[in-house]
Amino acid sequence: MRSTVDSTAELEPLHEIGDAWSIAQPGLRARAIRERAPLLRARLEASRPVVSVRTFDTMQLAYPTRYAFWGAALLPSPFAIMTQRVFLVQFEQSGRLKNLLFNPTDPEGALRAPYLERLRARHPVMSHLSTRVFAPLSSQLRGAGVAPEDIDYIAYDHFHLQDLRKHLGTKESPTPVTFPAAQLIAQRREWEAWDALHPLQSAFYVADGKRDVLESRVRLIDGDVLLGDGVALVRTPGHSTGNQTLFFRTDRGIFGVSENGVSADNWSPLESRLPGVAARCKDQGLEVLLNLDTPESGADQYTSMLLERAVVDRVPDRPGFVQMVTGFEVTRSALAPGVTPTHHFGGLSVGSVRPKPSQAARAPAAAHEARP
């Protein structure tokens, strides 16, 4: 399916990076983006902070350490244990409260990705022990005071492991199971690449994950946009064709979210205590370490990580690290001896979650119905 929905009403284009991604030579492209990144940071610094941020863990699974740390980590375990984390960002858009969910992976759909199916077949015991599905996202949201029907937008950094049908509904089943009012915001290149995957891409995509999804729920963008006060989606290609990074400004500084890395060590490898990581990066003069499961464009992914480092703030009590967090974070586990990130973010809680007016209106009615 090819979506034609490209309206960007209420989404403000950002031009700070300009045409830097179109520069032909990779080195000149990286130089231009490095030079322009401070302009994007300044734009976010000048905006009002978001209202609140909350994260919700949805699943854990095993992931090869050679992918997670680009083969640099000298570790006894062939696998890292990853925690998948969804970000709820509340912000104001023209004075109105909006709710964004970033990376709301459907665990059932994710496990149908060809790579994970083959991994379970090759390593059934490890897969059984490491795979864990947490409480449904909808119930976790309600526990935080947000109704699933009050989610305005969903977005992903890229579409690896994603199945959108439950969230957005399909032509055969038009009523979404989870987020009936949400629109998906996606880079056009990422959306269209899903229709004709290269063999190097296909292992991590759920083949039917967007089949017959309602076009009215998809908003395709071509570049960087400001969604509202303090929150932006910025193209960061390389890990996938249309990868994008979520940036948001808080009272604790600017954060970014992407899976270009899977731990704080990826963005600050020279600070890493993981065996082999700092030494390799020093030897090769590397400033960042890729999460590399599908080698679509390593040079661009590297450049994207430089952009991310330049936009976000540093961790206050560990200034060698930057506030780049990930939807799949390497987590210490007895199943993966020695695979312990030097700095672990875990969940994120910033600000106070506010109910939308529609929620506030429903609450008294629900209380009235509950009376005997």
Side-chain angles (χ1 to χ4, degrees), residues 21-33:
W21 283 114
S22 66
I23 296 173
Q25 298 92 331
L28 295 179
R29 187 160 64 241
R31 182 187 304 174
I33 288 170

Side-chain angles (χ1 to χ4, degrees), residues 179-202:
F179 308 117
Q183 288 190 315
L184 170 74
I185 304 175
Q187 296 289 333
R188 185 182 303 277
R189 292 190 65 188
E190 181 75 0
W191 180 264
E192 294 181 349
W194 206 343
D195 293 324
L197 295 171
H198 186 277
L200 287 175
Q201 298 173 304
S202 59

Side-chain angles (χ1 to χ4, degrees), residues 158-233:
H158 63 302
F159 288 138
H160 286 183
L161 308 186
Q162 305 307 331
D163 190 333
L164 308 178
R165 292 170 291 185
K166 282 186 180 179
H167 295 342
L168 300 176
T170 64
K171 293 175 181 177
E172 293 183 358
S173 178
T175 304
V177 175
T178 45
F179 308 117
Q183 288 190 315
L184 170 74
I185 304 175
Q187 296 289 333
R188 185 182 303 277
R189 292 190 65 188
E190 181 75 0
W191 180 264
E192 294 181 349
W194 206 343
D195 293 324
L197 295 171
H198 186 277
L200 287 175
Q201 298 173 304
S202 59
F204 284 89
Y205 285 84
V206 179
D208 296 333
K210 71 164 190 171
R211 178 173 292 178
D212 292 330
V213 163
L214 295 170
E215 295 182 11
S216 61
R217 297 190 182 276
V218 180
R219 299 179 70 171
L220 300 181
I221 58 175
D222 297 292
D224 310 336
V225 295
L226 191 73
L227 277 67
D229 292 344
V231 59
L233 289 170

Side-chain angles (χ1 to χ4, degrees), residues 65 74-81 126 274 332-340:
T65 53
L74 304 176
L75 296 166
S77 174
F79 294 106
I81 303 303
M126 180 64 177
L274 288 168
R332 184 175 182 177
S333 171
L335 295 172
V339 190
T340 303

Side-chain angles (χ1 to χ4, degrees), residues 217-253:
R217 297 190 182 276
V218 180
R219 299 179 70 171
L220 300 181
I221 58 175
D222 297 292
D224 310 336
V225 295
L226 191 73
L227 277 67
D229 292 344
V231 59
L233 289 170
V234 175
R235 56 186 163 178
T236 50
H239 185 71
S240 72
T241 300
N243 206 85
Q244 61 184 357
T245 297
L246 171 69
F247 292 106
F248 50 84
R249 180 180 174 233
T250 75
D251 291 334
R252 292 162 50 184

Side-chain angles (χ1 to χ4, degrees), residues 111 113-124 127 199 202-204:
L111 293 173
Y115 176 80
L116 292 184
E117 288 185 333
R118 292 196 287 267
L119 186 68
R120 291 200 304 276
R122 290 195 306 269
H123 304 279
S127 296
S202 59
F204 284 89

